[in-house]
Amino acid sequence: MTQSPAIPLPPPKERRRLREAASLTRAQLASRVGVTSETVRGWETGRSTPRGRKGEKYAKLLNSLGDEAEVTSSHDDAESDDPEPASGAAVSRRGARTRRKAAVTDRKRPAAKDRGRGPVTVPDRSRSPVPHGHRVILTERPRTTPPRRPDDAISALTPDQAFDALYAFCAPALVRQTYLLTGRRELARESVERAFQIAWQRWPEVACDRDPAGWVRAMAYECALSPWHRLRPRFRHPEPPPPDAFDRALMDTMLKLPPSYRRTLVLYDGVGLGLPETAAETEASTRAAVNRLAHAREAVAERLPELADPETLHWRLVELASTERLRAAKPPVVRKAGERRARFWTRAAIAFTVALIGTTALTARTAPTHYEPPVPAGETVQGVPPPVAPGPLSESERELRAKLRKEQQKGPDRLHPQPR
């Protein structure tokens, strides 16, 4: 019989807080301990107790995370008690710590629950911070970069390099997002590749857009949710579901939602966009986006009550997308495939145009040059009696015929008048 670990364990809520403070997902923590994410969820919710060597390893890991948090907090307190004037770097570090503390306070506030069909209050997370290693799995927001200097224009990227940089930054996250929308791994990769191929064909337009990542994301969602995929033979059979039972239930619930509700839920609770951005990307009003989000959350909570909290739903979507091994192709491969596709359709259009021109020329060459009236159809001649077929013989005619047959003789016939 295994014994419980001698190292004291913090309460279940404290376990989750320590994990989130260290910017670790359940999957990452489970990989360190050597268990599944479902086991870590049970330990954090209190449904099961860590035991054995895995429990000892889990307790040591939590204590090490707690010691790191205490060292960081004591270091921050020591810096705050320093009476000497701080330098510019110290001031910037203090400002960053203040923003992090405010972000943690905002994240701990209870989220409003959406019920009913009336107006629903949904918290706007468009300016909320993104913990490292979590929300960044499903989002492709660029990191803050310092302002460019005038001499940086000399070393500007070429179109190929700019496209490759955008693809390398956005493609992995977009593949995970489209997988949540479709539940198909191959379709997710094809949709993202097709979206980037269209972006490369319209690169001057995409490069000048104020949000190139959003442009490609909207195109990838349109390609993934196209109703024409159901006519393809390879997509008539479902793909293998996720191995975890809870993940399968969540994916089935997502796929049963209407496409517009599913897209709104992934954009707001998965990617982390604000309501105005979500409404603009789904081509709907803000009120319609709120109602779609509320109904989608109700449908998920009705089947999976554990995901009634929007924040829990967000982390669960992140974990579901992170467990699948979804790899995007290399940027040069996608770019060259798009160029080959464009060349093929260009040549096909040219060949069709040439064939149409040749057919028109042949028709003009072989067409008659003068008018030939058509031969009229035959008409029935009137006034001619129709031929009459011989009818049956009368009694006298039959008697005459019998008399003639009776009086026939051999040799030349001679007529002798006979008086009556």
Side-chain angles (χ1 to χ4, degrees):
M1 180 177 180
T2 58
Q3 301 292 333
S4 60
I7 303 176
L9 275 169
K13 295 183 179 180
E14 186 69 16
R15 300 170 194 171
R16 179 179 177 180
R17 189 191 65 80
L18 291 174
R19 177 178 61 81
E20 293 180 353
S23 300
L24 294 175
T25 62
R26 286 197 184 98
Q28 293 172 346
L29 185 63
S31 63
R32 290 189 181 185
V33 180
V35 295
T36 61
S37 58
E38 288 296 328
T39 304
V40 176
R41 182 185 294 105
W43 291 348
E44 292 181 353
T45 56
R47 290 182 296 178
S48 59
T49 304
R51 298 180 183 276
R53 289 178 297 178
K54 302 295 184 182
E56 293 180 1
K57 190 174 182 180
Y58 179 63
K60 291 180 182 179
L61 181 57
L62 288 182
N63 291 331
S64 63
L65 296 179
D67 295 340
E68 292 178 1
E70 290 179 1
V71 170
T72 305
S73 61
S74 61
H75 182 67
D76 294 345
D77 295 339
E79 287 186 355
S80 61
D81 295 338
D82 190 4
E84 296 182 0
S87 62
V91 171
S92 62
R93 287 196 298 270
R94 291 178 184 176
R97 286 195 299 273
T98 304
R99 289 192 296 270
R100 285 199 298 269
K101 292 180 180 179
V104 172
T105 305
D106 294 340
R107 191 167 62 249
K108 289 183 178 180
R109 293 177 183 174
K113 295 185 178 180
D114 306 324
R115 302 295 179 189
R117 297 182 177 272
V120 182
T121 303
V122 182
D124 190 0
R125 291 197 305 270
S126 58
R127 298 184 179 180
S128 62
V130 180
H132 177 70
H134 289 277
R135 195 183 300 270
V136 94
I137 296 177
L138 286 180
T139 187
E140 60 274 8
R141 294 179 181 175
R143 299 182 179 88
T144 305
T145 56
R148 296 182 58 182
R149 296 171 299 179
D151 55 347
D152 290 344
I154 302 176
S155 59
L157 297 177
T158 62
D160 297 353
Q161 295 173 347
F163 175 82
D164 294 349
L166 179 64
Y167 181 88
F169 184 75
C170 300
L174 279 180
V175 172
R176 295 185 177 93
Q177 296 172 28
T178 49
Y179 172 71
L180 292 178
L181 287 176
T182 60
R184 294 181 177 273
R185 303 166 184 83
E186 191 63 28
L187 179 59
R189 285 189 287 266
E190 287 185 5
S191 301
V192 174
E193 292 178 5
R194 181 58 184 153
F196 274 97
Q197 291 173 3
I198 297 175
W200 179 240
Q201 295 175 6
R202 307 177 185 177
W203 185 246
E205 173 188 350
V206 178
C208 297
D209 194 271
R210 61 179 182 180
D211 186 14
W215 194 98
V216 178
R217 180 178 59 238
M219 187 60 64
Y221 284 11
E222 293 292 338
C223 295
L225 297 177
S226 175
W228 297 104
H229 292 305
R230 69 186 68 177
L231 302 179
R232 303 173 64 179
R234 61 183 302 182
F235 292 108
R236 293 178 183 176
H237 305 285
E239 291 187 358
D244 186 70
F246 195 86
D247 292 345
R248 288 197 300 269
L250 178 57
M251 181 58 69
D252 293 341
T253 305
M254 291 283 295
L255 295 180
K256 289 181 180 179
L257 294 175
S260 58
Y261 289 17
R262 199 185 319 157
R263 185 173 181 176
T264 304
L265 184 67
V266 170
L267 285 175
Y268 189 82
D269 283 333
V271 180
L273 296 184
L275 281 176
E277 293 82 0
T278 302
E281 190 158 327
T282 56
E283 298 180 355
S285 62
T286 306
R287 183 179 180 84
V290 170
N291 290 332
R292 291 176 182 177
L293 179 63
H295 296 328
R297 285 178 175 177
E298 287 179 0
V300 173
E302 182 179 357
R303 186 170 181 181
L304 302 173
E306 300 88 346
L307 303 181
D309 184 16
E311 196 67 20
T312 306
L313 176 61
H314 163 71
W315 298 125
R316 191 57 195 169
L317 291 175
V318 171
E319 292 179 3
L320 176 59
S322 303
T323 53
E324 296 294 334
R325 297 182 178 273
L326 303 172
R327 298 184 180 274
K330 298 298 182 181
V333 176
V334 176
R335 178 161 41 82
K336 293 179 180 179
E339 293 174 354
R340 288 195 300 269
R341 187 187 185 98
R343 284 196 298 267
F344 169 77
W345 286 110
T346 302
R347 293 171 181 174
I350 293 174
F352 177 77
T353 304
V354 171
L356 183 62
I357 293 175
T359 304
T360 305
L362 180 62
T363 304
R365 180 70 180 82
T366 57
T369 57
H370 59 280
Y371 177 73
E372 295 181 359
V375 178
E379 297 181 359
T380 305
V381 179
Q382 302 294 334
V384 178
V388 179
L393 298 176
S394 62
E395 187 66 24
S396 59
E397 292 176 346
R398 284 196 297 269
E399 292 178 358
L400 180 59
R401 184 183 60 182
K403 184 178 180 180
L404 292 176
R405 289 177 179 176
K406 183 179 179 181
E407 293 181 356
Q408 287 182 355
Q409 298 178 359
K410 295 181 181 180
D413 295 336
R414 300 184 65 181
L415 300 177
H416 301 281
Q418 299 178 2
R420 292 186 176 182

